[in-house]
Amino acid sequence: MTTVLATLENQLERLAHGGHAALLTQTRQGIEKEGLRVSPDAHIAQTPHPRGLGSALTHDFITTDYSEALLEFITPVHDTPAEALAFLNQLHAFTYRQLGDEQLWCASMPCEIPSEEAIPIAEYGSSNVGRLKHVYRQGLKYRYGKMMQTIAGIHYNFSLPDAFWPVWQQLEGNSDSLQAFRSAGYFRLIRNFRRYGWLLLYLFGASPALSASFMAGRSHSLEQLDPDTLYLPHATSLRMSDLGYSNKAQADLQICFNHLDTYAESLHRAIHTSHPAYEQIGIKVDGHYRQLNTNVLQIENEYYSDVRPKRVTQSGEKPVHALMHRGVEYVEVRNTDINPLLPLGIDNAQADFLNAFLISCLLGQADDLDERECGLVAENHARIVNRGREPGLLLHSRNGERPREELAEQILDKVLRTAELLDDIKGGDAHQRAVQAQRDKVANPELTPSAQVLNALRESGLSHSEWVLEMSRQHRSSIEPQLTADTADRLQQAAVESLDQQAELEAAPAPDFADYLADYIAG
C-alpha cells in the first residue's frame, strides 16, 4: 500500500503553471446530517414527524431517515463550506421551533432505546412512492434489526466545478469522452479516499462510547465506563465499527470501487440476485410487506460504504442507472461522525480540511486497488475505529506495518501542499491552519474528538445519554435564537408546499402497489 499521494505535487504544479489552479477553490459542497428526536428524559421520541416540518416525503431540506424519529437535514449545494454550514444552522434553528419539549440528539450513537419495538419506522403516506420507502425500511428491520438503523452521521457531498474537468483532461492528454474522464477522476478520488480514509476516522471520530441499551442482549467486547455506558478506551468511531455501520451480511458483495463500469455492474448484480436468507423472510406475509424483494440488496442505498459515487437522479430513475447513463457528478463522504462538542456536529475548519484532503485524493496516485490492498484497507479501518488512539499502534503500508503517526504525517504533508495552494489563491491561511490542527491531533491523541468526548464524560460524572442530552440542550439554546425571519418564512412555506405535494401524490390515479413494486424491481 502506497503511503504517499505520489503524483499530487506534479498535478498541483501543472495546474498552477497553466493558470488553472483557481478552479480548485471553486468546489461545490452540500451537507446531509441525521439526528434523533428524543424525549425530555433522553428516550427515542414516539411522536410522529412534526407537521410544522412539512412532509418527510416531499420536503427538499428536512426529511427522515430510517425512523420516524430520525430527522435528516439536507442543504442545497453551496459554493463554500461556510455557506453550507450556515444553511444547516438555519435548518437546526427552524426545527427547534417545531420540537416543543423534545430535543435533537447531538451524537452519532443513539439515546436510550429500551427495545427494538420502541423504534418507530418512518412513515411517508399512502402514495406508492411513500409506501415503497416504508417497505424498504421494513426490509432493513427483518434483515439487520432496527437498532443499527438509529445511528446518525454526517454526509459531506463534494464536487469540482464543471470547468475543471476539460482543463485537467487536456493536461492529462486524455482522449476519452469528458463524461468518462470525469467519472474516472472521481473514482480515482474514491480509491485514494479508501486508502487514506482511516486518517479522517482518527482525526474526527467522535463516538468512542455509547448507551448500554444499544447492546442489550448482544455479546460484545466493550468495557463498562459506568453502569449505563459502554466504551473502548482507545476507540475513535464505534459508529463505523462492527457495532455500527458495517454489515456482515454484505461482506461477500465485493463491490468494486476501481472504475464506474465494474462498480455499477457489481451493484446491479447485487440488486438482482436473490439471497437464500432473505428468501426465508418472505416478501408479503399475512397481507403485510416485509421487504421489497429477496435480493442481496433491495435497492442501491442498502449497500453501506464510507464513500459513494453519486449523481442526482431524475424522477423514477434508479441511482445506478443515473451513474451508468450520465456518469459521476459528485462524491458522498459518509464516514463523518457527529461531534457532540460542536453545535452542528461539524465546523468550518473540518470542512476546509475535508476539501483539501479530497482534492489531494483526486490528484493523487492513479493505480487501482487490488484484492490484497483492499484487505489491508479494511484492517487499517478496523484498527483505527476500535483502538485508533492506542500508543504504538501500527498500520499497514506498502512497506509493511508502520507507526500511525508516521503514516499520518506523510498524508498530511501532501494535504498541506494542497492547502498552501488553496490559501495562495483565496488569501489567508484557513486551509493551512486546518491542516496544522490535524497535525496537533497526530502528535497528541488527547486532542482528538474521541478523547475529548471520553474526558468530558468522565469529568461530568454523567452517563453517555445524560451527557449527550445536556450537550443537546446547550446547542439548542445557542442555535435556536439565530433563526432569521426570512429563513423562517422560507422554511414555513416549504413545509406547507411539501404537504400539498404529498396530498397531490396521494390523490392522483395510481396503479396497485403490487404492480408498482413489480415495475420498480424490474426496472
Side-chain angles (χ1 to χ4, degrees), residues 4-15 24 168 188 192 356-366 410-419 421:
V4 293
L5 308 182
T7 62
L8 176 63
E9 291 94 335
N10 293 337
Q11 297 283 6
L12 293 173
E13 185 177 328
R14 286 198 300 167
L15 286 164
L24 298 177
W168 193 32
R188 179 171 172 169
N192 286 323
F357 179 87
L358 293 170
I359 291 169
S360 301
C361 288
L362 175 70
L363 300 178
Q365 65 196 77
Q410 289 178 5
I411 299 170
L412 291 174
D413 284 345
K414 301 300 177 179
V415 179
L416 179 61
R417 303 293 180 269
T418 303
L421 181 61

Side-chain angles (χ1 to χ4, degrees), residues 136-374:
Y136 164 63
R137 285 157 174 77
Q138 289 282 3
L140 297 180
K141 175 187 78 171
Y142 281 102
R143 292 173 176 219
Y144 317 117
K146 296 163 78 173
M147 195 67 78
M148 187 181 83
Q149 312 299 329
T150 62
I151 299 171
I154 294 173
H155 299 167
Y156 190 80
N157 299 321
F158 172 88
S159 65
L160 271 297
D162 289 342
F164 167 79
W165 297 101
V167 168
W168 193 32
Q169 184 175 26
Q170 185 176 12
L171 290 174
E172 290 278 270
N174 180 279
S175 59
D176 295 337
S177 70
L178 184 60
Q179 176 177 309
F181 178 78
R182 183 178 62 238
S183 292
Y186 279 126
F187 268 86
R188 179 171 172 169
L189 184 161
I190 288 169
R191 292 194 298 273
N192 286 323
F193 182 93
R194 297 192 68 215
R195 288 180 171 109
Y196 307 114
W198 64 262
L199 180 60
L200 300 180
L201 295 169
Y202 173 82
L203 297 173
F204 302 112
S207 54
L210 47 85
S211 166
S213 69
F214 184 80
M215 298 303 299
R218 291 194 286 164
S219 61
H220 60 81
S221 58
L222 301 176
E223 300 179 20
Q224 202 96 28
L225 187 64
D226 63 50
D228 299 311
T229 305
L230 301 173
Y231 82 117
L232 286 177
H234 299 110
T236 60
S237 178
L238 293 177
R239 164 182 171 261
M240 295 299 293
S241 73
D242 285 347
L243 302 178
Y245 279 138
S246 67
N247 201 311
K248 294 181 177 64
Q250 298 181 10
D252 296 329
L253 282 183
Q254 297 180 331
I255 301 293
C256 178
F257 282 90
N258 281 326
H259 305 284
L260 175 56
D261 56 351
T262 53
Y263 172 82
E265 178 186 347
S266 53
L267 202 55
H268 187 269
R269 184 169 59 251
I271 60 178
H272 288 90
T273 302
S274 188
H275 185 53
Y278 301 155
E279 292 170 3
Q280 294 179 12
I281 294 171
I283 296 176
K284 191 175 184 180
V285 179
D286 296 331
H288 298 284
Y289 281 94
R290 290 187 170 183
Q291 55 186 340
L292 296 176
N293 53 56
T294 63
N295 297 331
V296 177
L297 300 177
Q298 298 175 89
I299 60 175
E300 296 94 326
N301 286 350
E302 188 172 336
Y303 179 62
Y304 295 100
S305 60
D306 55 3
V307 62
R308 282 180 183 167
K310 297 292 290 278
R311 170 164 283 280
V312 175
T313 57
Q314 299 171 353
S315 178
E317 184 180 35
K318 291 184 177 180
V320 69
H321 292 163
L323 287 172
M324 292 167 66
H325 296 155
R326 300 192 306 284
V328 184
E329 185 177 10
Y330 64 97
V331 295
E332 179 186 47
V333 174
R334 299 167 52 83
N335 69 350
T336 305
D337 282 355
I338 299 169
N339 185 343
L341 299 166
L342 298 174
L344 296 177
I346 183 175
D347 62 12
N348 207 78
Q350 182 174 345
D352 282 342
F353 179 81
L354 278 173
N355 280 4
F357 179 87
L358 293 170
I359 291 169
S360 301
C361 288
L362 175 70
L363 300 178
Q365 65 196 77
D367 50 320
D368 288 354
L369 287 159
D370 60 26
E371 187 174 346
R372 175 180 177 275
E373 189 174 7
C374 282

Side-chain angles (χ1 to χ4, degrees), residues 511-523:
D512 180 78
F513 180 69
D515 295 333
Y516 174 85
L517 179 58
D519 287 344
Y520 181 86
I521 298 301

Side-chain angles (χ1 to χ4, degrees), residues 449-467:
S450 55
Q452 291 181 327
V453 166
L454 284 182
N455 289 335
L457 277 169
R458 291 188 178 103
E459 291 172 6
S460 72
L462 302 173
S463 70
H464 180 265
S465 288
E466 291 169 336
W467 179 76

